Amino acid sequence: MPDSLKLGLAGLGTVGAGVLRLIDAHGGEIAGRAGRRVEVVAVSARDRSKKRDAVIENYRWVDDPIALAQDPEIEVFVELMGGEEGIPKEAVEAALKAGKHVVTANKALLAHHGVALARLAEASNVALNFEAAVAGGIPIVKVMRESLQGNDFSRVYGILNGTCNYILTLMQEEGTSFDDALKDAQAKGFAEADPTFDIGGFDTAHKLALLTSLAFGVETAFDQIYVEGIERIAAADIEAADGLGYRLKLLGVAAATEHGIEQRVHPAMVPKHTPIAETFGAQNCVVVEGDFVEDVMLSGQGAGAGPTASAVMGDIIELARGHVLAPFATKVADLKPYPQAAMGTHAGSYYLRLTVHDQTGVIAGIATRMAEQDISLESIVQHRPRTDIPGVDDGEEPTGPVDVVMITHETTEGAIQKALAAIEGDGHVVAKPQMIRIESL
Amino acid sequence: MPDSLKLGLAGLGTVGAGVLRLIDAHGGEIAGRAGRRVEVVAVSARDRSKKRDAVIENYRWVDDPIALAQDPEIEVFVELMGGEEGIPKEAVEAALKAGKHVVTANKALLAHHGVALARLAEASNVALNFEAAVAGGIPIVKVMRESLQGNDFSRVYGILNGTCNYILTLMQEEGTSFDDALKDAQAKGFAEADPTFDIGGFDTAHKLALLTSLAFGVETAFDQIYVEGIERIAAADIEAADGLGYRLKLLGVAAATEHGIEQRVHPAMVPKHTPIAETFGAQNCVVVEGDFVEDVMLSGQGAGAGPTASAVMGDIIELARGHVLAPFATKVADLKPYPQAAMGTHAGSYYLRLTVHDQTGVIAGIATRMAEQDISLESIVQHRPRTDIPGVDDGEEPTGPVDVVMITHETTEGAIQKALAAIEGDGHVVAKPQMIRIESL
């Protein structure tokens, strides 16, 4: 058997400790499968004495991750620190320049600097593997970068953030409000004290930026992603979706259209009785559509020590087997600039929930505004009077505000935005209209 | 760019024609992605003049597939003829001995001779890739052989035959009988004139044999798989399953147990509102359970020209990129003999439907027989009188036979078989008892 593949591991949080435990547990089998032993020779983290879920005494300690990245003894730098700028970035750059392979779970770093880092990797003829950066244990990067390379992709989409999916699942199953569901997620450790990054859709957008490059052979363009979080989803929307045959999910979607490539993150309705609708709790899933393969779905744990360590180890085993691929499947020089489709051109059906005064002529007025934009309605349902809006009466008065829920036929985002602006201008609505896109599967 | 990767393609049916169309459509992009052009230089099939969905005039024609397999011009032999013995086997053997890589979709060949062929591939230091042999377009082989290699697997299972899933879906959605659903599948071209191979579970078993070797590093052992088809599933079972919160699917399951490895193919009940339960029609899905990754599910088209061609091309691109792996992830010398767990030791819950005379004491008699085997019941439901058994009255007489449906708590297959034999011996049942295993997810 050849010499062992020597790793330097920077970052000993949940995932780093998971990787060490995995190597402890399965090092022998991995050597048999990979044809080469995998060995951690040195580690680095902010605090050497911190209590951890892994034994680190057997590894050489290096205070400076940038020094570790260039350490002459290592062949692979495993970056599990996280963060888009500063030391993690400098360490990864240093490793690539020093001719070390890099394995990382750092989605923020890659979403912002993926192309530049891929260029460095290419120049040194080394790998930049990031399976763990996209959907935890789900091997979507390998599937897109290798298995499905015979296809032209038309769309890739999925549930990429477990925190949001946990919150939406709780709202659906228990009827809880968004605020209560968020508190529950925080209490269970799923959501951070400052949850903006997850629930605002930015984590999903980081992952989507990588999937977009893999699917369409374009440069990553995180800054051009349309991002909308789940903060405005109400229990009333979940309930209405259920009645209409839908489930509410936070999706990341990249789709090739005649106007360019759409990259969007937003809450979306998906039809019930589909695998994506039945992806609950902290699970993630990704669907890839290709012209030959049709659609392939992968689902599984999108986070956590074990699943993420499994993904990191898959990337390491690939290197032990001597496989080095272009990070985004295609050489950097062949990546095309990202051709953005403006959000206004997005075509689809929409769910609208308007809270209006229960007065004669209101529905007619709304319908007129929709017709002006050539929007036709598939269904319209008037719900019970609202009692949860401050200053509004408690529902005993039958003329209080009511929720009107509409599903449109296919139209464009531009048309919907104009119609909603006109309806708001008419003064018929007592709260900001709710608009949720319906994703056709 | 290096020289093109030269292929010889034997078998020009649906899949072979699909592969030629894929190369015509995407040859240029594939060259960019793989770093090397992929080129078919010669083809072979039984009948040169047959009408096909692909143009074959540009390729050199070779009458004898065995000659093509050894052709000095080719580097890769693509075997898409199918069939476990005879010419396909000889051709694959000849190719491997001549030092050609082999890409094949031939599950029967591999289920029966996979280990011997892998040994030949290893001796010649070439690849034997078979992504298309397991679940059409779903890239489960690569995921298990590469992405998830850091895990110890405990179970792999799935819906691996689209014909059976189509039939069961139709029975569930339309309430049709098995015979009518089969006729519909045959009329639509999903099922063969002799459907035994699909509906009897043998196609699923071929695929399962390969998944078992990949998951557990054991030699393929097709002959030791427990195989039961869907022929005895009645509309009454689908309906009862629905009422109890289950869907009926034909599963292939390989699981590590304390008694050895179970390999079994049989109809099974799976809980509703899970992605596997929502896999409908001709779709396939596979779930892999690993100790670090937890569970990963892949679903997609399990058959058809496009999806299968996508899988074949993934295997070819891997070779263009210079990646050669052991067929079953581990060297043949390291594959362990298959340690079979006897079916009698299988532990699980069971669905039983007994058609009995509606007489005092019958239920008590059945319950006694179950108690003798230490089987406890989770639920018991007595259904309406049966009117569909020849020689039985039409239901106007309230004492006619009735269906009693029971769900057991966890027990063993051996206990269930003994209890059912005793119940049959008592003469309480008017038809052979129906027993369907419940798969815990």
Side-chain angles (χ1 to χ4, degrees):
Chain A
M1 202 174 277
D3 282 352
S4 63
L5 182 75
K6 294 189 169 60
L7 318 177
L9 199 158
L12 293 169
T14 312
V15 178
V19 170
L20 294 179
R21 285 203 307 279
L22 195 159
I23 293 174
D24 278 349
H26 299 321
E29 292 133 293
I30 289 170
R33 292 168 179 173
R36 198 172 169 193
R37 218 153 58 81
V38 163
E39 184 188 6
V40 176
V41 295
V43 298
S44 178
R46 243 175 303 200
D47 178 359
R48 186 170 184 172
S49 58
K50 193 178 153 189
K51 208 172 134 53
R52 295 192 162 86
D53 283 342
V55 182
I56 61 164
E57 281 67 36
N58 300 331
Y59 313 115
R60 179 157 57 86
W61 180 269
V62 179
D63 275 320
D64 177 9
I66 298 170
L68 177 59
Q70 302 165 300
D71 191 291
E73 199 189 356
I74 72 163
E75 224 175 302
V76 182
F77 180 61
V78 183
E79 188 276 300
L80 302 171
M81 296 177 276
E84 76 188 64
E85 301 291 345
I87 291 173
K89 176 164 176 272
E90 288 167 43
V92 167
E93 288 169 347
L96 295 172
K97 283 179 187 161
K100 316 289 186 189
H101 301 295
V102 169
V103 171
T104 179
N106 191 334
K107 52 213 126 203
L109 176 66
L110 286 167
H112 288 278
H113 308 292
V115 174
L117 294 173
R119 198 172 283 122
L120 286 180
E122 204 173 294
S124 295
N125 204 17
V126 293
L128 171 61
N129 287 345
F130 55 90
E131 186 64 82
V134 177
I138 301 174
I140 185 64
V141 174
K142 182 173 274 283
V143 162
M144 292 184 71
R145 195 158 75 165
E146 303 183 41
S147 305
L148 303 183
Q149 287 280 291
N151 290 271
D152 254 19
F153 299 107
S154 50
R155 182 168 60 161
V156 54
Y157 63 98
I159 297 169
L160 299 171
N161 182 275
T163 306
C164 289
N165 207 47
Y166 178 83
I167 290 171
L168 293 173
T169 299
L170 205 65
M171 291 176 72
Q172 180 204 309
E173 290 182 352
E174 313 285 337
T176 39
S177 70
F178 171 79
D179 289 339
D180 288 345
L182 172 58
K183 271 178 212 142
D184 182 289
Q186 285 171 321
K188 290 212 166 64
F190 287 132
E192 309 286 332
D194 176 3
T196 317
F197 186 69
D198 286 323
I199 64 170
F202 302 104
D203 175 68
T204 299
H206 280 154
K207 295 162 180 169
L208 182 65
L210 302 177
L211 292 177
T212 305
S213 288
L214 285 169
F216 301 112
V218 298
E219 294 171 3
T220 50
F222 172 76
D223 296 337
Q224 290 167 64
I225 302 177
Y226 173 85
V227 184
E228 185 184 316
I230 62 169
E231 306 91 332
R232 287 197 66 238
I233 299 299
D237 298 315
I238 306 261
E239 196 186 321
D242 190 67
L244 292 158
Y246 293 102
R247 294 265 180 263
L248 245 169
K249 302 289 180 187
L250 181 74
L251 295 188
V253 184
T257 76
E258 55 181 314
H259 306 287
I261 294 172
E262 289 182 2
Q263 273 192 112
R264 46 194 169 81
V265 173
H266 52 74
M269 297 207 179
V270 294
K272 278 190 207 177
H273 301 302
T274 55
I276 194 166
E278 304 290 351
T279 301
F280 295 122
Q283 296 268 115
N284 279 195
C285 75
V286 189
V287 180
V288 187
E289 294 174 350
D291 56 349
F292 277 79
V293 77
E294 301 179 23
D295 59 308
V296 171
M297 181 178 118
L298 285 82
S299 65
Q301 297 298 324
T308 312
S310 166
V312 168
M313 191 47 55
D315 277 352
I316 292 170
I317 289 172
E318 187 164 318
L319 297 173
R321 285 170 167 166
H323 300 177
V324 175
L325 283 173
F328 295 104
T330 309
K331 276 190 288 186
V332 175
D334 293 340
L335 290 174
K336 290 162 280 191
Y338 168 66
Q340 187 179 20
M343 197 60 194
T345 65
H346 169 64
S349 299
Y350 289 79
Y351 157 99
L352 305 171
R353 179 170 56 80
L354 308 179
T355 306
V356 301
H357 292 295
D358 191 9
Q359 290 167 344
T360 316
V362 168
I363 298 285
I366 290 168
T368 303
R369 291 307 197 182
M370 304 290 271
E372 284 171 7
Q373 299 299 329
D374 277 331
I375 299 167
S376 62
L377 297 176
E378 185 186 294
S379 70
I380 176 162
V381 181
Q382 181 169 322
H383 281 250
R384 63 183 187 285
R386 293 289 296 269
T387 58
D388 57 344
I389 299 173
V392 157
D393 64 46
D394 64 358
E396 287 180 4
E397 190 75 63
T399 55
V402 293
D403 267 357
V404 176
V405 170
M406 289 174 281
I407 301 287
T408 76
H409 283 295
E410 184 167 304
T411 177
T412 66
E413 180 97 3
I416 284 286
Q417 298 290 8
K418 278 186 208 155
L420 289 178
I423 289 164
E424 280 197 88
D426 292 340
H428 291 318
V429 291
V430 302
K432 192 168 158 51
Q434 176 68 298
M435 177 274 270
I436 300 174
R437 296 165 194 89
I438 298 174
E439 192 71 20
S440 65
L441 305 190
Chain B
M1 199 175 276
D3 282 352
S4 63
L5 182 74
K6 294 189 170 60
L7 317 176
L9 199 158
L12 293 169
T14 312
V15 178
V19 170
L20 294 180
R21 286 202 307 278
L22 193 159
I23 294 175
D24 278 349
H26 299 321
E29 292 133 292
I30 289 170
R33 293 167 180 174
R36 195 173 171 195
R37 217 154 59 81
V38 163
E39 183 188 6
V40 175
V41 295
V43 297
S44 178
R46 241 174 303 196
D47 178 359
R48 186 171 187 173
S49 57
K50 193 179 154 188
K51 211 172 133 49
R52 298 191 159 85
D53 283 344
V55 182
I56 62 163
E57 280 68 35
N58 300 332
Y59 311 116
R60 179 158 56 85
W61 179 269
V62 179
D63 275 320
D64 176 10
I66 299 170
L68 176 59
Q70 301 165 301
D71 191 292
E73 199 188 357
I74 72 164
E75 223 175 303
V76 182
F77 180 60
V78 183
E79 189 275 302
L80 302 172
M81 295 177 277
E84 77 189 63
E85 301 292 344
I87 291 173
K89 176 164 176 273
E90 290 167 40
V92 167
E93 288 170 347
L96 295 172
K97 285 180 187 161
K100 315 292 186 186
H101 301 296
V102 169
V103 172
T104 178
N106 191 335
K107 51 213 125 199
L109 175 66
L110 287 166
H112 288 279
H113 308 292
V115 174
L117 295 174
R119 197 171 284 123
L120 286 180
E122 205 173 292
S124 295
N125 205 17
V126 292
L128 171 59
N129 286 345
F130 56 89
E131 185 65 82
V134 177
I138 301 173
I140 184 65
V141 174
K142 183 174 274 283
V143 162
M144 293 184 71
R145 196 158 73 166
E146 303 183 40
S147 305
L148 303 183
Q149 286 280 293
N151 290 271
D152 254 18
F153 299 107
S154 50
R155 183 168 58 162
V156 54
Y157 63 97
I159 298 170
L160 299 171
N161 181 276
T163 306
C164 289
N165 207 47
Y166 177 84
I167 290 171
L168 292 173
T169 300
L170 204 66
M171 290 176 73
Q172 179 204 309
E173 290 182 352
E174 313 285 336
T176 38
S177 70
F178 171 77
D179 288 339
D180 288 346
L182 173 57
K183 273 179 208 139
D184 182 291
Q186 286 172 318
K188 290 212 167 62
F190 287 133
E192 308 287 332
D194 176 4
T196 317
F197 186 68
D198 286 322
I199 64 170
F202 303 104
D203 175 69
T204 299
H206 280 153
K207 295 162 179 170
L208 181 66
L210 303 177
L211 292 177
T212 305
S213 288
L214 286 168
F216 301 110
V218 296
E219 294 171 4
T220 50
F222 172 76
D223 295 338
Q224 291 168 61
I225 302 177
Y226 174 84
V227 183
E228 184 184 315
I230 61 169
E231 307 92 330
R232 287 197 67 238
I233 300 299
D237 298 315
I238 306 261
E239 196 186 322
D242 190 69
L244 292 160
Y246 295 102
R247 294 263 181 263
L248 245 169
K249 302 289 181 187
L250 181 72
L251 295 188
V253 184
T257 77
E258 55 180 315
H259 306 287
I261 294 172
E262 289 181 3
Q263 274 192 111
R264 46 193 168 84
V265 173
H266 53 74
M269 297 208 179
V270 294
K272 280 190 207 179
H273 302 300
T274 55
I276 194 168
E278 304 290 351
T279 301
F280 294 123
Q283 296 270 112
N284 280 195
C285 76
V286 189
V287 179
V288 187
E289 293 174 352
D291 57 349
F292 277 77
V293 77
E294 300 179 24
D295 59 308
V296 171
M297 181 180 117
L298 286 82
S299 64
Q301 297 297 324
T308 311
S310 166
V312 168
M313 191 49 54
D315 277 351
I316 293 171
I317 289 171
E318 187 165 317
L319 297 174
R321 285 169 166 167
H323 300 177
V324 176
L325 283 173
F328 296 103
T330 310
K331 275 190 290 185
V332 175
D334 293 340
L335 290 174
K336 290 162 280 189
Y338 168 67
Q340 185 179 20
M343 198 60 196
T345 65
H346 169 64
S349 299
Y350 289 79
Y351 158 99
L352 305 172
R353 179 171 55 80
L354 309 178
T355 307
V356 302
H357 292 295
D358 193 8
Q359 290 168 343
T360 316
V362 168
I363 299 284
I366 290 169
T368 303
R369 291 307 196 179
M370 305 288 272
E372 284 169 7
Q373 300 299 330
D374 277 331
I375 300 167
S376 64
L377 297 177
E378 184 186 296
S379 69
I380 176 163
V381 182
Q382 181 168 323
H383 282 249
R384 65 181 186 286
R386 292 288 296 270
T387 59
D388 58 344
I389 298 173
V392 157
D393 63 47
D394 63 0
E396 289 181 4
E397 190 76 63
T399 55
V402 294
D403 268 356
V404 177
V405 170
M406 287 173 281
I407 301 286
T408 75
H409 284 296
E410 183 166 305
T411 178
T412 65
E413 179 97 4
I416 285 286
Q417 297 291 7
K418 278 185 206 154
L420 288 179
I423 290 164
E424 279 195 90
D426 292 340
H428 291 318
V429 291
V430 302
K432 192 171 159 48
Q434 176 69 297
M435 177 272 271
I436 300 174
R437 296 167 193 88
I438 297 174
E439 192 70 21
S440 65
L441 303 191

